[in-house]
Protein backbone atom coordinates (compact mmCIF):
# COMPACT_ATOMS: atom_id res chain seq x y z
CA UNK A 1 0.00 0.00 0.00
CA UNK A 2 1.45 3.36 -1.04
CA UNK A 3 1.93 5.94 1.75
CA UNK A 4 -0.38 8.93 1.93
CA UNK A 5 0.94 12.12 0.35
CA UNK A 6 0.91 13.73 3.79
CA UNK A 7 3.40 11.22 5.23
CA UNK A 8 7.17 11.53 5.35
CA UNK A 9 8.64 8.40 3.80
CA UNK A 10 11.81 6.99 5.33
CA UNK A 11 14.80 6.27 3.06
CA UNK A 12 15.17 2.74 1.76
CA UNK A 13 18.05 0.75 3.22
CA UNK A 14 18.25 2.62 6.50
CA UNK A 15 18.88 6.21 7.66
CA UNK A 16 20.83 8.43 5.29
CA UNK A 17 23.20 9.23 8.14
CA UNK A 18 24.46 5.69 7.61
CA UNK A 19 24.11 5.46 3.84
CA UNK A 20 25.89 8.75 3.07
CA UNK A 21 28.50 8.86 5.82
CA UNK A 22 32.08 8.65 4.60
CA UNK A 23 34.94 6.85 6.27
CA UNK A 24 38.66 7.11 5.64
CA UNK A 25 40.25 6.62 3.24
CA UNK A 26 37.92 8.59 0.97
CA UNK A 27 37.71 7.99 -2.77
CA UNK A 28 35.19 10.39 -4.31
CA UNK A 29 35.61 8.60 -7.62
CA UNK A 30 33.53 5.74 -6.22
CA UNK A 31 30.55 8.04 -5.53
CA UNK A 32 28.31 8.54 -8.56
CA UNK A 33 27.08 12.18 -8.45
CA UNK A 34 23.88 11.11 -10.27
CA UNK A 35 23.06 8.30 -7.87
CA UNK A 36 20.13 8.44 -5.45
CA UNK A 37 20.98 6.37 -2.34
CA UNK A 38 17.99 5.68 -0.12
CA UNK A 39 15.39 6.97 -2.57
CA UNK A 40 12.27 4.73 -2.68
CA UNK A 41 11.32 3.09 -5.96
CA UNK A 42 8.61 4.20 -8.36
CA UNK A 43 5.97 2.14 -6.53
CA UNK A 44 6.29 4.82 -3.84
CA UNK A 45 7.39 7.91 -5.73
CA UNK A 46 5.47 7.36 -8.94
CA UNK A 47 6.94 8.35 -12.28
CA UNK A 48 7.38 11.99 -11.26
CA UNK A 49 10.19 11.44 -8.81
CA UNK A 50 11.23 15.10 -8.80
CA UNK A 51 7.77 16.34 -7.80
CA UNK A 52 7.48 13.61 -5.17
CA UNK A 53 10.85 14.46 -3.64
CA UNK A 54 10.05 18.16 -3.47
CA UNK A 55 6.71 17.45 -1.79
CA UNK A 56 8.59 15.33 0.74
CA UNK A 57 11.02 18.20 1.41
CA UNK A 58 8.06 20.44 2.27
CA UNK A 59 6.68 17.82 4.68
CA UNK A 60 10.10 17.33 6.28
CA UNK A 61 10.44 21.12 6.53
CA UNK A 62 7.27 21.26 8.62
CA UNK A 63 8.71 18.63 10.96
CA UNK A 64 12.00 20.49 11.16
CA UNK A 65 10.12 23.67 12.04
CA UNK A 66 8.61 21.93 15.06
CA UNK A 67 12.05 20.63 16.08
CA UNK A 68 13.48 24.12 15.65
CA UNK A 69 10.84 25.53 17.94
CA UNK A 70 11.63 22.98 20.66
CA UNK A 71 15.35 23.71 20.33
CA UNK A 72 14.70 27.44 20.65
CA UNK A 73 12.28 26.97 23.56
CA UNK A 74 14.86 24.90 25.43
CA UNK A 75 17.44 27.68 25.09
CA UNK A 76 14.91 30.41 25.89
CA UNK A 77 14.00 28.76 29.19
CA UNK A 78 17.69 28.39 30.05
CA UNK A 79 18.41 32.06 29.23
CA UNK A 80 15.42 34.38 28.65
CA UNK A 81 17.73 37.18 27.43
CA UNK A 82 20.61 35.62 25.45
CA UNK A 83 21.64 38.86 23.72
CA UNK A 84 21.88 39.65 19.99
CA UNK A 85 22.11 36.75 17.56
CA UNK A 86 24.40 38.65 15.22
CA UNK A 87 27.12 39.28 17.78
CA UNK A 88 30.34 37.25 17.93
CA UNK A 89 29.62 33.58 18.50
CA UNK A 90 30.15 32.16 21.96
CA UNK A 91 30.38 28.63 23.29
CA UNK A 92 29.95 29.57 26.90
CA UNK A 93 26.91 30.80 28.72
CA UNK A 94 23.66 29.15 29.58
CA UNK A 95 22.93 25.57 30.42
CA UNK A 96 19.85 23.61 29.53
CA UNK A 97 16.84 23.79 31.78
CA UNK A 98 17.55 21.74 34.90
CA UNK A 99 21.33 22.21 34.61
CA UNK A 100 21.77 19.12 32.42
CA UNK A 101 24.48 20.55 30.17
CA UNK A 102 25.15 23.42 27.78
CA UNK A 103 22.28 24.93 25.82
CA UNK A 104 22.20 23.23 22.44
CA UNK A 105 22.39 24.44 18.85
CA UNK A 106 22.72 22.74 15.45
CA UNK A 107 25.16 23.71 12.71
CA UNK A 108 24.84 22.54 9.10
CA UNK A 109 28.10 22.97 7.17
CA UNK A 110 27.77 22.93 3.37
CA UNK A 111 30.81 22.51 1.13
CA UNK A 112 30.90 21.95 -2.62
CA UNK A 113 32.74 22.75 -5.80
CA UNK A 114 31.55 25.87 -7.62
CA UNK A 115 27.95 25.35 -8.84
CA UNK A 116 27.59 22.47 -6.40
CA UNK A 117 24.24 23.73 -5.14
CA UNK A 118 24.92 25.29 -1.76
CA UNK A 119 22.64 28.27 -2.37
CA UNK A 120 19.91 26.07 -3.83
CA UNK A 121 20.05 23.69 -0.88
CA UNK A 122 19.69 26.55 1.57
CA UNK A 123 16.78 27.98 -0.41
CA UNK A 124 14.92 24.68 -0.75
CA UNK A 125 15.68 23.03 2.60
CA UNK A 126 16.27 25.87 5.04
CA UNK A 127 13.60 27.86 3.23
CA UNK A 128 11.01 25.30 4.31
CA UNK A 129 11.68 26.12 7.95
CA UNK A 130 10.93 29.08 10.21
CA UNK A 131 13.43 31.84 9.31
CA UNK A 132 13.25 33.19 12.88
CA UNK A 133 15.15 30.12 14.08
CA UNK A 134 17.82 30.20 11.36
CA UNK A 135 21.30 31.72 11.39
CA UNK A 136 22.79 31.60 7.87
CA UNK A 137 26.30 32.74 7.07
CA UNK A 138 28.34 32.67 3.84
CA UNK A 139 32.13 32.76 3.69
CA UNK A 140 34.04 34.27 0.80
CA UNK A 141 37.69 35.24 0.55
CA UNK A 142 38.96 36.55 3.91
CA UNK A 143 38.83 40.31 4.44
CA UNK A 144 41.98 42.23 5.46
CA UNK A 145 40.72 42.22 9.04
CA UNK A 146 40.11 38.46 8.98
CA UNK A 147 43.59 37.86 7.58
CA UNK A 148 45.05 39.54 10.66
CA UNK A 149 43.65 36.69 12.78
CA UNK A 150 43.93 32.91 12.68
CA UNK A 151 41.70 31.15 10.15
CA UNK A 152 39.12 30.07 12.76
CA UNK A 153 38.55 33.61 14.09
CA UNK A 154 35.83 34.52 11.60
CA UNK A 155 34.20 31.12 12.02
CA UNK A 156 33.89 31.54 15.78
CA UNK A 157 32.27 34.93 15.28
CA UNK A 158 29.65 33.39 12.99
CA UNK A 159 28.52 30.56 15.26
CA UNK A 160 24.76 30.38 15.88
CA UNK A 161 23.39 31.36 19.26
CA UNK A 162 22.01 28.68 21.57
CA UNK A 163 18.67 27.41 20.32
CA UNK A 164 19.33 28.21 16.64
CA UNK A 165 19.95 26.17 13.54
CA UNK A 166 23.04 27.61 11.88
CA UNK A 167 23.90 27.09 8.22
CA UNK A 168 27.38 27.76 6.86
CA UNK A 169 27.67 28.29 3.10
CA UNK A 170 31.34 27.32 2.85
CA UNK A 171 33.26 27.21 6.11
CA UNK A 172 36.62 26.72 7.83
CA UNK A 173 37.28 23.91 5.34
CA UNK A 174 38.07 26.50 2.69
CA UNK A 175 41.40 26.85 4.49
CA UNK A 176 42.40 23.27 3.67
CA UNK A 177 40.80 23.33 0.22
CA UNK A 178 41.30 26.63 -1.61
CA UNK A 179 44.33 27.54 0.50
CA UNK A 180 45.89 24.20 -0.41
CA UNK A 181 45.10 24.03 -4.12
CA UNK A 182 45.86 27.68 -4.83
CA UNK A 183 48.99 27.63 -2.62
CA UNK A 184 47.78 30.58 -0.55
CA UNK A 185 49.80 29.39 2.43
CA UNK A 186 52.80 27.06 2.82
CA UNK A 187 52.03 23.33 2.82
CA UNK A 188 53.12 23.04 6.45
CA UNK A 189 50.48 25.61 7.39
CA UNK A 190 47.48 23.99 5.74
CA UNK A 191 48.57 20.52 6.84
CA UNK A 192 48.59 21.65 10.48
CA UNK A 193 45.04 22.90 10.10
CA UNK A 194 43.52 19.40 10.03
CA UNK A 195 44.40 18.93 13.70
CA UNK A 196 43.25 22.46 14.49
CA UNK A 197 39.90 21.80 12.82
CA UNK A 198 39.43 18.54 14.71
CA UNK A 199 40.22 20.26 18.01
CA UNK A 200 37.84 23.12 17.16
CA UNK A 201 35.00 20.78 16.24
CA UNK A 202 35.59 18.73 19.36
CA UNK A 203 35.26 21.97 21.35
CA UNK A 204 32.01 22.70 19.53
CA UNK A 205 30.44 19.32 20.20
CA UNK A 206 31.48 19.39 23.86
CA UNK A 207 29.79 22.79 24.14
CA UNK A 208 26.38 21.69 22.90
CA UNK A 209 26.80 22.12 19.12
CA UNK A 210 25.55 19.30 16.91
CA UNK A 211 27.44 19.34 13.61
CA UNK A 212 26.15 18.12 10.24
CA UNK A 213 28.90 18.39 7.63
CA UNK A 214 27.75 17.84 4.06
CA UNK A 215 29.73 17.80 0.82
CA UNK A 216 27.47 18.29 -2.20
CA UNK A 217 29.19 16.12 -4.79
CA UNK A 218 28.68 17.09 -8.44
CA UNK A 219 30.37 15.83 -11.57
CA UNK A 220 32.75 17.71 -13.82
CA UNK A 221 30.20 17.52 -16.64
CA UNK A 222 27.35 18.84 -14.51
CA UNK A 223 29.44 21.75 -13.30
CA UNK A 224 30.19 22.66 -16.91
CA UNK A 225 26.50 22.65 -17.78
CA UNK A 226 25.61 24.85 -14.82
CA UNK A 227 28.33 27.36 -15.67
CA UNK A 228 27.03 27.55 -19.25
CA UNK A 229 23.48 28.10 -17.96
CA UNK A 230 24.73 31.17 -16.11
CA UNK A 231 26.24 32.54 -19.31
CA UNK A 232 23.08 31.79 -21.32
CA UNK A 233 20.80 33.78 -19.02
CA UNK A 234 21.52 37.49 -18.37
CA UNK A 235 19.60 37.16 -15.10
CA UNK A 236 22.31 34.80 -13.88
CA UNK A 237 25.37 36.80 -14.90
CA UNK A 238 25.74 37.92 -11.31
CA UNK A 239 26.31 34.29 -10.32
CA UNK A 240 29.16 33.83 -12.79
CA UNK A 241 32.75 34.39 -11.76
CA UNK A 242 35.52 34.10 -14.40
CA UNK A 243 37.73 32.68 -11.65
CA UNK A 244 35.49 29.60 -11.59
CA UNK A 245 36.97 28.50 -14.91
CA UNK A 246 40.49 28.65 -13.47
CA UNK A 247 39.37 26.60 -10.47
CA UNK A 248 37.67 24.14 -12.83
CA UNK A 249 41.02 23.54 -14.50
CA UNK A 250 42.28 22.28 -11.12
CA UNK A 251 39.37 19.81 -10.72
CA UNK A 252 41.53 16.79 -9.88
CA UNK A 253 43.52 18.79 -7.34
CA UNK A 254 40.31 19.93 -5.63
CA UNK A 255 38.92 16.40 -5.58
CA UNK A 256 42.11 15.22 -3.88
CA UNK A 257 41.91 18.09 -1.37
CA UNK A 258 38.30 17.24 -0.56
CA UNK A 259 39.08 13.56 -0.16
CA UNK A 260 41.84 14.25 2.35
CA UNK A 261 39.78 16.81 4.29
CA UNK A 262 36.83 14.42 4.54
CA UNK A 263 39.07 11.57 5.59
CA UNK A 264 41.16 13.53 8.09
CA UNK A 265 38.28 15.46 9.68
CA UNK A 266 35.45 12.95 9.76
CA UNK A 267 34.93 11.87 13.38
CA UNK A 268 32.19 10.10 15.32
CA UNK A 269 31.16 13.40 16.90
CA UNK A 270 31.43 15.39 13.65
CA UNK A 271 31.06 13.02 10.67
CA UNK A 272 31.09 13.97 7.02
CA UNK A 273 28.30 13.05 4.60
CA UNK A 274 28.67 13.06 0.82
CA UNK A 275 25.43 13.82 -1.01
CA UNK A 276 25.31 13.04 -4.76
CA UNK A 277 24.21 16.41 -6.13
CA UNK A 278 23.85 16.23 -9.91
CA UNK A 279 20.10 15.78 -9.39
CA UNK A 280 19.02 18.88 -7.48
CA UNK A 281 15.77 17.37 -6.27
CA UNK A 282 17.59 14.37 -4.79
CA UNK A 283 20.18 16.66 -3.19
CA UNK A 284 17.46 18.61 -1.38
CA UNK A 285 15.62 15.45 -0.33
CA UNK A 286 18.80 13.91 1.07
CA UNK A 287 19.92 17.00 3.02
CA UNK A 288 16.42 17.43 4.46
CA UNK A 289 16.50 13.83 5.69
CA UNK A 290 20.00 14.25 7.15
CA UNK A 291 18.73 17.23 9.14
CA UNK A 292 15.62 15.38 10.25
CA UNK A 293 17.56 12.32 11.35
CA UNK A 294 20.06 14.48 13.23
CA UNK A 295 17.33 16.39 15.06
CA UNK A 296 15.77 13.05 16.03
CA UNK A 297 18.99 12.10 17.85
CA UNK A 298 18.59 15.16 20.10
CA UNK A 299 15.35 13.85 21.63
CA UNK A 300 13.99 17.39 21.92
CA UNK A 301 10.91 18.17 23.98
CA UNK A 302 9.03 21.30 24.86
CA UNK A 303 10.26 22.46 28.30
CA UNK A 304 7.85 22.21 31.23
CA UNK A 305 6.24 25.37 32.56
CA UNK A 306 8.20 27.26 35.19
CA UNK A 307 4.91 28.40 36.74
CA UNK A 308 1.53 26.97 37.76
CA UNK A 309 -0.73 27.14 34.67
CA UNK A 310 -3.86 26.70 36.79
CA UNK A 311 -2.94 29.63 38.99
CA UNK A 312 -2.07 31.79 35.97
CA UNK A 313 -5.46 31.05 34.41
CA UNK A 314 -7.13 32.18 37.61
CA UNK A 315 -5.03 35.33 37.77
CA UNK A 316 -5.87 36.12 34.17
CA UNK A 317 -9.59 35.47 34.73
CA UNK A 318 -9.64 37.52 37.88
CA UNK A 319 -7.71 40.32 36.28
CA UNK A 320 -10.16 40.54 33.38
CA UNK A 321 -13.14 40.60 35.76
CA UNK A 322 -11.53 43.34 37.86
CA UNK A 323 -10.74 45.41 34.80
CA UNK A 324 -14.34 45.17 33.57
CA UNK A 325 -15.87 45.87 36.95
CA UNK A 326 -13.51 48.67 37.93
CA UNK A 327 -12.98 51.15 35.05
CA UNK A 328 -10.44 53.20 37.01
CA UNK A 329 -8.06 50.24 36.92
CA UNK A 330 -7.39 51.14 33.31
CA UNK A 331 -7.20 54.81 34.06
CA UNK A 332 -10.65 55.60 32.72
Amino acid sequence: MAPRETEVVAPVGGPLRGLLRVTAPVDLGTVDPRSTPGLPGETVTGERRKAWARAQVRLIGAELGRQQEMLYAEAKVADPDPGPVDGPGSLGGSTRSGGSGPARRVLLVLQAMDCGGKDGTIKRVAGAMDPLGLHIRSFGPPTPEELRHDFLWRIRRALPAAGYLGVFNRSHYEDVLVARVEALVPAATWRARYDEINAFERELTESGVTLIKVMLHISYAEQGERLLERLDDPRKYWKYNPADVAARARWDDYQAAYAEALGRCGTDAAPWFVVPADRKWYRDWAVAHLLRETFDTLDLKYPPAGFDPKRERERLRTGVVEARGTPEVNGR
Side-chain angles (χ1 to χ4, degrees), residues 12-29:
V12 174
L16 287 188
R17 284 181 60 87
L19 295 177
L20 300 180
R21 180 173 175 175
V22 297
T23 56
V26 177
D27 182 0
L28 291 173

Side-chain angles (χ1 to χ4, degrees), residues 13 98 107 146-147 159 185 231:
L107 177 59
E146 290 167 346
L147 287 172
L159 292 173
V185 296
L231 291 173

Side-chain angles (χ1 to χ4, degrees), residues 8-306:
V8 173
V9 179
V12 174
L16 287 188
R17 284 181 60 87
L19 295 177
L20 300 180
R21 180 173 175 175
V22 297
T23 56
V26 177
D27 182 0
L28 291 173
T30 64
V31 180
D32 181 359
R34 292 190 63 78
S35 62
T36 56
L39 188 77
E42 285 193 8
T43 55
V44 174
T45 68
E47 295 181 356
R48 300 177 61 195
R49 295 189 299 167
K50 181 188 297 187
W52 178 89
R54 288 183 171 169
Q56 285 285 296
V57 169
R58 289 191 291 271
L59 291 175
I60 296 170
E63 282 195 20
L64 290 172
R66 183 175 60 86
Q67 297 272 21
Q68 268 184 292
E69 186 175 66
M70 288 190 286
L71 182 70
Y72 181 81
E74 178 184 87
K76 187 70 172 176
V77 168
D79 187 354
D81 185 19
V85 175
D86 292 325
S90 171
L91 295 178
S94 305
T95 59
R96 293 161 56 189
S97 180
S100 58
R104 296 183 288 184
R105 65 204 85 178
V106 176
L107 177 59
L108 171 63
V109 173
L110 294 175
Q111 285 287 158
M113 294 290 290
D114 297 319
C115 299
K118 299 179 296 298
D119 292 342
T121 300
I122 293 171
K123 180 179 179 180
R124 294 278 188 178
V125 179
M129 292 180 274
D130 184 350
L132 294 178
L134 292 173
H135 182 77
I136 301 172
R137 290 292 179 269
S138 296
F139 295 95
T143 65
E145 180 186 13
E146 290 167 346
L147 287 172
R148 288 194 292 269
H149 299 270
D150 76 274
F151 76 103
L152 291 172
W153 180 79
R154 65 174 182 166
I155 305 299
R156 290 182 180 277
R157 292 173 60 83
L159 292 173
Y164 281 77
L165 167 62
V167 182
F168 280 0
N169 183 337
R170 302 186 187 271
S171 67
H172 41 297
Y173 283 93
E174 293 294 286
D175 291 282
V176 290
L177 295 169
V178 177
R180 166 181 172 165
V181 175
E182 306 299 334
L184 301 181
V185 296
T189 299
W190 60 256
R191 288 191 183 282
R193 287 174 176 171
Y194 295 125
D195 289 339
E196 293 180 65
I197 287 173
N198 286 336
F200 171 61
E201 292 181 352
R202 184 166 56 250
E203 179 189 358
L204 292 182
T205 58
E206 290 174 352
S207 301
V209 180
T210 297
L211 282 163
I212 314 166
K213 301 185 301 188
V214 175
M215 180 202 176
L216 305 175
H217 183 42
I218 65 168
S219 64
Y220 182 82
E222 180 66 19
Q223 187 198 53
E225 290 182 12
R226 293 182 186 181
L227 286 170
L228 286 174
E229 285 177 3
R230 294 178 179 182
L231 291 173
D232 291 340
D233 186 348
R235 296 171 299 179
K236 294 184 179 180
Y237 286 170
W238 66 273
K239 289 186 175 183
Y240 186 83
N241 185 344
D244 292 345
V245 178
R248 179 172 165 80
R250 306 291 300 277
W251 182 272
D252 290 343
D253 293 332
Y254 272 105
Q255 295 295 292
Y258 265 106
E260 185 166 4
L262 270 57
R264 294 280 299 272
C265 299
T267 64
D268 288 340
W272 268 106
F273 305 97
V274 173
V275 172
D278 273 13
R279 303 177 193 268
K280 297 177 182 179
W281 54 268
Y282 173 79
R283 171 202 73 199
D284 299 338
W285 178 84
V287 174
H289 267 292
L290 286 173
L291 275 169
R292 175 174 177 259
E293 292 168 5
T294 301
F295 267 108
D296 285 346
T297 67
L298 300 181
D299 192 26
L300 292 166
K301 297 179 178 62
Y302 286 104

